C-alpha cells in the first residue's frame, strides 16, 4: 500500500522521497525487495546507506532514530492504524512538527486522536486511494500542511510532559550523589524542562535518554567509579543527509509490518 502510494505520487512529484520505518527492522530487506519489484530505487539505513537524489524509498530499518525522521519529515503517515492492530503514538511526530495522517484503527490512543481530531490536527484515511490523495494534497498545499502540523502540535502539547516528569523524578538522586558541576549543569534544566540539546529525538525517547545520562553520570560514574567512554557519540546525524532531504519532496511513512 505504501509503495503503491509512492508510485502514484512519483508521477507528479518525480523527486519524491518516501521513508519507510518498519516496526520490525529485520523486515528491511523484504521492503527493499518489494520496492525493487515496483521499479523503485531503495536503500537501507541498517546497511549504513544514505539517500541520494535518485533514491525513491529510504528504509529506516534501525532502532532509536524515529525522532530524527519525525523531525525532518513534513508529513507522517502512522500506518499501523490501517489495520486492527492499531497505530503508533501520534504525540511524538505531532510535537516534532509533522502533519499527521492515520487510519481508522486508533483504539490504542483514543484520547490523543480525539484531541487531534477536535483541533483539526490530523487526517484520517481508509486505504490506498485515500492515502495517495491526502498525501498529494498536503505535498501540494504548503499552507494547509503547515496549518495541520501547527494544530497537531498545539493539541498534544497539553497532553505531555514525559521529559519534565522524568527529570523531576531523578532530581533527588542528583542532589544526593552529584558533584557541584553536575548540579549546576542539570538542575536548571530540570526546572525549565529544557531538552538538553538532543535534537531529533522524540520526547519519550529523550526522557529515557536523560534518565540514563543523568543517572549514569551521577551513579554509574561517580558512585561506582567507571570511566566515561565517548558519551557524546550517542546521536550523530550523517553528513550530507539533510542536504539530500532539503533538495527532495519528502514524505515519511511510518509503516507497521505485522
Amino acid at each position: 500500500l505504501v509503495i503503491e502510494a509512492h508510485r502514484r505520487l512519483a508521477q507528479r512529484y518525480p523527486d519524491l522521497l518516501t521513508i519507510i520505518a518498519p516496526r520490525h527492522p529485520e523486515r528491511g530487506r523484504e521492503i527493499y525487495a518489494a520496492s525493487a519489484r515496483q521499479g523503485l530505487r531503495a536503500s537501507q539505513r541498517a546497511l549504513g546507506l544514505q539517500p541520494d537524489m535518485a533514491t525513491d524509498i529510504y528504509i529506516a530499518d534501525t532502532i532509536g532514530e524515529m525522532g530524527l525522521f519525525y523531525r525532518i519529515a513534513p508529513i507522517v503517515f502512522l500506518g499501523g492504524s490501517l489495520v486492527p492492530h492499531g497505530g503508533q503514538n501520534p504525540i511524538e511526530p505531532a510535537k516534532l512538527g509533522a502533519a499527521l495522517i492515520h487510519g481508522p484503527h486508533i483504539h490504542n490512543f483514543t484520547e490523543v486522536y480525539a484531541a487531534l481530531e477536535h483541533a483539526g490536527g490530523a487526517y484520517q484515511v481508509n486505504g490506498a486511494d485515500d492515502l495517495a490523495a491526502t498525501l498529494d494534497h498536503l505535498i501540494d498545499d504548503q499552507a494547509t500542511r503547515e496549518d495541520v502540523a501547527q494544530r497537531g502540535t498545539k493539541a498534544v502539547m497539553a497532553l505531555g510532559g514525559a521529559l519534565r516528569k522524568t527529570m523531576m523524578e531523578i532530581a533527588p538522586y542528583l542532589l544526593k550523589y552529584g558533584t557541584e558541576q553536575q548540579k549546576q549543569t542539570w538542575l536548571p534544566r530540570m526546572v525549565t524542562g529544557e531538552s538538553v540539546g538532543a535534537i531529533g529525538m522524540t520526547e519519550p525517547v529523550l526522557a529515557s535518554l536523560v534518565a540514563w545520562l543523568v543517572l549514569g553520570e551521577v551513579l554509574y560514574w561517580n558512585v561506582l567509579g567507571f570511566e566515561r567512554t565517548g558519551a557524546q557519540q550517542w546521536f550523530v546525524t550523517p553528513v550530507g543527509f539533510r542536504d539530500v532531504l532539503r533538495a527532495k519532496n519528502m514524505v515519511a511513512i511510518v509503516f507497521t509490518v505485522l
Side-chain angles (χ1 to χ4, degrees):
L1 182 150
V2 171
I3 293 172
E4 173 61 21
H6 176 97
R7 192 184 63 78
R8 295 186 194 182
L9 290 166
Q11 297 176 26
R12 182 173 180 186
Y13 307 101
D15 58 347
L16 180 68
L17 174 67
T18 293
I19 299 175
I20 299 180
R23 182 184 294 272
H24 303 293
E26 62 271 18
R27 304 298 293 273
R29 287 198 61 80
E30 180 180 327
I31 298 171
Y32 178 91
S35 302
R37 287 195 296 270
Q38 292 290 329
L40 301 174
R41 181 178 173 185
S43 60
Q44 293 177 245
R45 187 164 177 80
L47 300 180
L49 301 176
Q50 299 179 24
D52 57 32
M53 291 305 298
T55 304
D56 299 305
I57 306 292
Y58 189 57
I59 304 166
D61 49 348
T62 53
I63 297 294
E65 293 192 302
M66 289 308 302
L68 168 64
F69 299 108
Y70 281 153
R71 184 173 292 279
I72 61 180
I75 306 167
V76 169
F77 167 52
L78 299 163
S81 55
L82 275 179
V83 294
H85 182 280
Q88 294 85 351
N89 188 341
I91 292 178
E92 303 172 9
K95 281 194 172 182
L96 291 173
L100 301 185
I101 304 173
H102 63 86
H105 299 285
I106 54 176
H107 55 274
N108 46 343
F109 295 103
T110 304
E111 180 182 354
V112 181
Y113 278 108
L116 288 168
E117 180 180 358
H118 179 74
Y123 282 88
Q124 179 176 318
V125 298
N126 295 304
D129 292 339
D130 279 353
L131 176 60
T134 302
L135 287 170
D136 188 7
H137 173 57
L138 289 175
I139 294 171
D140 184 61
D141 191 335
Q142 179 180 351
T144 297
R145 182 175 69 244
E146 292 179 350
D147 180 61
V148 171
Q150 290 170 6
R151 289 172 179 270
T153 299
K154 290 178 181 178
V156 301
M157 285 300 288
L159 303 175
L163 177 58
R164 179 183 293 273
K165 292 174 183 177
T166 299
M167 297 183 87
M168 294 310 294
E169 286 293 325
I170 63 181
Y173 296 95
L174 178 62
L175 289 170
K176 183 174 182 179
Y177 296 108
T179 65
E180 288 304 314
Q181 182 178 357
Q182 290 165 343
K183 293 175 185 178
Q184 291 175 11
T185 299
W186 290 103
L187 284 176
R189 294 171 177 176
M190 291 180 173
V191 173
T192 63
E194 183 183 338
S195 65
V196 303
I199 300 302
M201 292 192 174
T202 60
E203 187 178 24
V205 173
L206 178 55
S208 299
L209 173 65
V210 169
W212 170 82
L213 193 57
V214 177
L215 290 178
E217 180 168 323
V218 172
L219 300 179
Y220 194 68
W221 291 326
N222 292 6
V223 178
L224 301 179
F226 288 86
E227 296 181 359
R228 59 182 81 187
T229 55
Q232 72 278 9
Q233 299 297 321
W234 43 259
F235 190 79
V236 180
T237 300
V239 175
F241 187 82
R242 292 179 184 273
D243 294 334
V244 171
L245 300 181
R246 278 194 289 265
K248 294 177 74 74
N249 282 313
M250 188 180 65
V251 176
I253 303 295
V254 183
F255 177 54
T256 300
V257 181
L258 299 179

